[in-house]
Amino acid sequence: MHLAGGRLRDFARGCDALGGGGGGQARYALPLAAHAVELTGPVQVVQPAELPPDGLVMPCTFLGAPAIGAERIGTCREAATIRVHIERHFGKPVVAMLCNEIGGFHGAASVALAAHAGLPMLDADGMGRAFPGMSRVAMHLAGVTPDPVVLADEHDRVVAVHAGDGWAERMARSVVVGFGDRGVSSEYVMTVDQVADAVITGSVGKALRIGELIGEAASVPDAARAIVAEFDGLLIAEGRVTAALPEPGRHTPATIEGTGADSGRTLRLEAGHEYLAVIEDGEVLATVPDIITVFDTYTGEALGAGELRYGQRVVAVALPCPDVWRTPAGLDLVGPAAFGLDLPYRPVAAS
Amino acid sequence: MTPDRSCRLGISMHRDRFAAAVVESDGTVLASIERPTPTATVTTVLPVVVDELMAQAGPRGVDLEHIQQVMVGVSEIDGLAGLPGAEAGWRRWPGQLGPVAVVRLGAATTSLPPLAGWPASFRATVSIAEACVAGGARLDGTDFEPLDTAGLVAFARKIAGKVNAVAVSSVFAAVAPGHELAAAGLLRAELGDSVPILLSHEMSGSGLLERENATVLQAALIRRAWGAAHRLRRALVDVGLSHAEPFLARNDGSIMTVDYALTRPLLMHGAAAAVGARGAALLAGEPEALVAFTDVDGEPTAVCSVTAGSAQLAAGSTVIAGVQTGLRTVALVPTTPPIGGTGCGLPQLAEAVDRAKSSPRDLPLLVIGPGAEKLVDTLPGPLPGTTLVCCPPRADAAAAVGVAVAPVSGEAVRMFSANSPHGDDIRHRVKEQARAAAVHAGADPATVAVTDVEESTVPYVSEPTMVLRVRAEGPPRVGWRRTYERS
């Protein structure tokens, strides 16, 4: 499997769908990925079994404020710089890049980073969706240490943070502040051996498949039906947004009123940086960490939590999250309570 | 000689039709027409406009000499200029695009070099050379990189004699435009005064790439715009309106002088919809409303929402000729069905009306365009989500009325630290800049005033940072005389 051309566009669509309203929009990272692939050729997507067991897997992601990233678009060579430092530190070659967060912007951006670093991408990621925060990754649950966190800016300034769990994210963030609120970082570097139990496997292929389903469908609701059928999700409803968030990032509910076959239904959509829960008549239909996705039926785009507006025609679906998030430790980290919701977690069941 | 009355002539062109109106300076509409046109250039339309409108306005005591300004609005700049992606048969500005050169100040921004995402053939037509040289600013106003003056001079020598214009963009130009201004000086010294140098900080819109793309498109269109402006002025002389100053409608429904538009032709994009909405709201006396546009068969084509008499602009960027630009245009909701759907009728109109709103509140729906009356006549009953559906008087020529009454506007944007001790000073200066921008665009200096101040914070940045956006508006200046008439 490789990523290039039209498959990149499909992949980006799938990343947006897996963002669950968070993680920024993959469509904004798509030009970066397309240009990188034009320079370096297609990015190969590999399985752990294809890699040498003692080779290093390097997670890599952008950090900082979106408004800064829109101006300081960087070189994506930051990933190559970080790779050199990691290889020097560990004394071993890096054999693959790992996408930290498949959902949204970072999923598509990781293709650009991998291409510039000259690495294939592992068919996996750290979240299986999008979450805010550096430690909400499967690697953390598996006990992999984030150290050293290696950060670089677009002028090849590099900082390695050896601060231990709990402090790594704090120190890394203050380094990014020093860079001017924009940088690229790598943490939770692993050997291929370690990867099996420490990442969410199959994420890249899943995003690509979701994007293909969207591209093949005759209409957006058809695409939503195809996606829930293939990934054991729940088609929540078709409807129109009748109340939207006054500000992104706030815990304020949006309302979706059913249309067509769903007429008469009213859904409450709790949202923060991403969609957190869907509630109908006091009954919870889906919550984090399951993935709640709202497609605009006119454009087919997966709407970010900050993009909801009155009057939009939408179709909402919920997809089951990776199993690791459904464990007690996983729910501690990313369950409804971790996002300030006083709701029980009820796993999404296939419709 | 000062005429005893002051009137404006508004012309709006959309595809193969045009509308025109004569409006008294107090807003009274004296005459209007709406017609098809085989070759909808202003030059062919003007003689018809003058004959027919004056026949209507003459009995009301209005003569050509009373017309002090002529305002023209167009719907799509890409169609007008024959850019790729526009409908076939919609080509009006003959001549070449560009060639231009593109300079980006910010060497460490090569994740997407200038024009990297552009359609290949279009890019080859427009630009002969692109370069990323060191420069730009950081959010706190310090240098992103020191300006590479030697690199700029070397690039200028490479392109000298080969380009019609140069587009310059830089990282965080809205925070600190100093490097763009310095680069313009260096380029001008090498290329001479006859090559226009366009700077991205004069284009609104945050995001380096979208601002850069818009600047490049402006530069590419300049030669065509100059030709079009020349033809417009000559046509005005030919029809006996040499004393009237021409204005052009812009994306947000305001107007600008032709001189101002010469280096900003992209701002004309989407103007017909913006002035149409303005005209509809004025003619119906409904500053808060929804506006539906119709084609000649009475089919609704799109709906937009109007607040305080002006069309609401879309939050996102505008794609022109396949390129993302930072230009903001009217949030038009098309009545065409969703992906895979079929048909276009009343349910689609009702849905477009709902999608165009920003709240559940019912609003009047004002129907304008050549088929306005036909559409209102065929409506079987009330439309959900509206308080009433009406055709304002002269609905077919609403866009012409809207452009004739539009104000001249100016905008200034500045980002600065919320902890700056000079905050009030900066606010004061940005307001002055907005007023100056409006006067530059042709507003009457005596009456131009700040109409909107929007202050927001930049999310997720460690140093609290404000974005201040100020808008000033005023009526168009009067008593203008062409330069070559002076002495």
Side-chain angles (χ1 to χ4, degrees):
Chain A
M1 184 165 45
H2 68 269
L3 292 171
R7 306 180 79 173
L8 267 180
R9 195 194 52 229
D10 286 342
F11 177 63
R13 279 178 174 164
C15 291
D16 275 337
L18 289 174
Q25 270 66 47
R27 50 186 181 267
Y28 299 134
L30 184 57
L32 297 185
H35 177 67
V37 165
E38 208 171 283
L39 291 180
T40 66
V43 169
Q44 299 300 321
V45 180
V46 295
Q47 304 299 329
E50 299 171 48
L51 299 169
D54 65 338
L56 295 175
V57 172
M58 174 182 128
C60 197
T61 192
F62 285 101
L63 275 186
I68 308 290
E71 288 287 333
R72 284 172 54 189
I73 60 173
T75 61
C76 287
R77 298 279 309 157
E78 297 93 333
T81 307
I82 290 173
R83 176 185 179 181
V84 169
H85 279 259
I86 285 175
E87 290 183 338
R88 197 181 298 155
H89 175 80
F90 288 95
K92 280 194 231 182
V94 175
V95 294
M97 179 168 291
L98 175 70
C99 171
N100 259 15
E101 178 180 45
I102 195 79
F105 182 89
H106 296 283
S110 62
V111 181
L113 293 172
H116 282 278
L119 291 170
M121 272 174 83
L122 203 61
D123 184 10
D125 84 314
M127 300 183 186
R129 47 164 297 154
F131 285 125
M134 190 188 278
S135 60
R136 285 172 169 140
V137 286
M139 293 81 90
H140 176 78
L141 278 190
V144 179
T145 169
D147 278 4
V149 185
V150 180
L151 302 110
D153 77 356
E154 63 268 58
H155 291 112
D156 288 340
R157 300 180 188 101
V158 182
V159 178
V161 173
H162 300 263
D165 250 340
W167 278 85
E169 177 162 4
R170 249 162 107 170
M171 301 316 292
R173 292 223 174 259
S174 57
V175 169
V176 174
V177 169
F179 286 161
D181 292 310
R182 185 213 167 269
V184 177
S185 85
S186 177
E187 61 272 341
Y188 298 106
V189 173
M190 294 164 282
T191 58
V192 173
D193 263 347
Q194 278 175 290
V195 154
D197 304 316
V199 299
I200 287 152
T201 50
S203 307
V204 174
K206 184 176 177 183
L208 188 58
R209 181 66 190 138
I210 289 176
E212 284 170 3
L213 289 172
I214 295 172
E216 287 163 8
S219 73
V220 180
D222 280 356
R225 279 186 280 275
I227 292 166
V228 299
E230 187 155 333
F231 294 98
D232 299 325
L234 168 71
L235 188 87
I236 298 172
E238 268 185 70
R240 52 192 272 265
V241 179
T242 52
L245 316 173
E247 253 178 66
R250 287 257 208 93
H251 284 242
T252 356
T255 315
I256 295 175
E257 276 178 21
T259 53
D262 294 309
S263 286
R265 297 176 61 191
T266 303
L267 305 164
R268 189 155 66 97
L269 188 59
E270 296 284 346
H273 292 99
E274 49 279 300
Y275 302 118
L276 300 174
V278 186
I279 298 157
E280 181 175 20
D281 299 330
E283 188 199 347
V284 177
L285 300 185
T287 71
V288 276
D290 288 330
I291 304 158
I292 300 161
T293 299
V294 179
F295 292 103
D296 183 313
T297 52
Y298 277 79
T299 63
E301 277 170 4
L303 293 168
E307 295 180 312
L308 284 190
R309 299 281 179 272
Y310 174 87
Q312 280 164 338
R313 262 48 184 182
V314 297
V315 51
V317 304
L319 298 176
C321 67
D323 291 337
V324 63
W325 302 128
R326 293 181 165 184
T327 62
L331 288 173
D332 268 357
L333 196 61
V334 297
F339 293 93
L341 291 179
D342 185 16
L343 293 173
Y345 172 63
R346 214 196 89 189
V348 157
S351 54
Chain B
M1 177 209 69
T2 315
D4 49 336
R5 298 173 77 168
S6 168
C7 296
R8 301 168 188 172
L9 171 61
I11 301 171
S12 170
M13 304 203 297
H14 178 64
R15 305 281 157 94
D16 53 353
R17 302 190 73 85
F18 73 93
V22 175
V23 181
E24 191 113 36
S25 56
D26 65 1
T28 315
V29 185
L30 300 172
S32 69
I33 55 168
E34 201 281 334
R35 298 277 183 278
T37 167
T39 53
T41 53
V42 189
T43 38
T44 51
V45 159
L46 253 179
V48 183
V49 164
V50 168
D51 280 356
E52 295 199 26
L53 278 184
M54 284 305 139
Q56 280 183 43
R60 305 183 71 169
V62 173
D63 213 333
L64 275 185
E65 70 170 25
H66 296 133
I67 292 174
Q68 297 226 344
Q69 294 103 355
V70 175
M71 287 86 170
V72 181
V74 298
S75 51
E76 293 154 10
I77 197 86
D78 48 356
L80 195 67
L83 300 181
E87 280 176 32
W90 168 245
R91 285 164 197 268
R92 291 179 185 165
W93 288 359
Q96 292 299 308
L97 286 171
V100 304
V102 185
V103 181
R104 184 191 292 170
L105 308 177
T109 60
T110 50
S111 68
L112 209 59
L115 315 191
W118 286 39
S121 60
F122 183 41
R123 174 183 174 164
T125 331
V126 164
S127 170
I128 60 153
E130 306 97 31
C132 280
V133 303
R138 292 159 65 96
L139 180 64
D140 62 6
T142 58
D143 280 2
F144 177 63
E145 292 156 357
L147 185 63
D148 177 6
T149 51
L152 270 170
V153 170
F155 183 71
R157 291 185 179 155
K158 198 174 110 187
I159 58 169
K162 297 178 190 151
V163 291
N164 276 332
V166 183
V168 181
S169 58
S170 81
V171 176
F172 276 122
V175 173
H179 281 181
E180 285 190 357
L181 294 165
L186 287 165
L187 291 167
R188 194 164 292 124
E190 293 294 327
L191 303 174
D193 289 337
S194 61
V195 177
I197 293 158
L198 279 74
L199 307 180
S200 84
H201 75 271
E202 295 193 342
M203 278 301 300
S204 61
S206 65
L208 175 67
L209 298 170
E210 295 184 343
R211 200 171 60 241
E212 176 179 82
N213 286 345
T215 311
V216 177
L217 282 176
Q218 302 261 44
L221 289 169
I222 273 193
R223 167 154 285 197
R224 285 174 183 249
W226 286 4
H230 174 70
R231 288 191 296 278
L232 169 60
R233 287 177 170 145
R234 202 180 50 199
L236 286 175
V237 173
D238 288 348
V239 298
L241 282 168
S242 59
H243 57 282
E245 178 167 26
F247 284 77
L248 294 167
R250 55 196 272 186
N251 59 320
D252 61 359
S254 64
I255 52 173
M256 56 189 167
T257 62
V258 168
D259 285 339
Y260 188 83
L262 281 182
T263 50
R264 299 163 186 84
L266 203 66
L267 295 183
M268 291 159 67
H269 190 78
V275 295
R278 179 186 294 284
L282 177 93
L283 291 166
E286 298 275 7
E288 310 291 321
L290 298 159
V291 174
F293 298 84
T294 58
D295 64 15
V296 70
D297 301 320
E299 291 290 332
T301 56
V303 180
C304 76
S305 132
V306 171
T307 6
S310 296
Q312 278 196 345
L313 302 185
S317 53
T318 303
V319 176
I320 301 174
V323 174
Q324 294 269 357
T325 73
L327 188 79
R328 292 187 67 197
T329 46
V330 176
L332 274 183
V333 176
T335 50
T336 43
I339 302 162
T342 49
C344 174
L346 264 193
Q348 280 76 23
L349 178 60
E351 192 157 309
V353 160
D354 194 44
R355 291 172 60 219
K357 288 189 199 176
S358 51
S359 80
R361 198 179 130 205
D362 284 0
L363 290 168
L365 177 68
L366 315 174
V367 185
I368 61 166
E373 286 181 13
K374 214 181 261 181
L375 174 64
V376 173
D377 288 346
T378 55
L379 283 182
L383 197 68
T386 62
T387 53
L388 64 102
V389 179
C390 80
C391 229
R394 302 182 191 268
D396 56 346
V401 174
V403 69
V405 301
V408 183
S409 73
E411 206 182 55
V413 184
R414 176 79 189 269
M415 284 167 123
F416 61 98
S417 163
N419 300 323
S420 166
H422 309 296
D424 287 341
D425 205 30
I426 291 169
R427 288 181 184 90
H428 179 73
R429 222 177 316 148
V430 176
K431 284 178 191 169
E432 271 315 306
Q433 283 167 359
R435 271 194 287 263
V439 171
H440 187 193
D444 175 11
T447 46
V448 66
V450 169
T451 52
D452 193 36
V453 179
E454 189 189 303
E455 205 167 316
S456 56
T457 54
V458 180
Y460 307 112
V461 295
S462 50
E463 165 82 7
T465 303
M466 314 302 297
V467 186
L468 177 63
R469 195 178 297 275
V470 178
R471 190 180 164 81
E473 284 183 359
R477 63 193 182 193
V478 290
W480 168 85
R481 292 171 68 206
R482 281 204 316 271
T483 326
Y484 50 85
E485 279 183 347
R486 288 185 198 137
S487 82

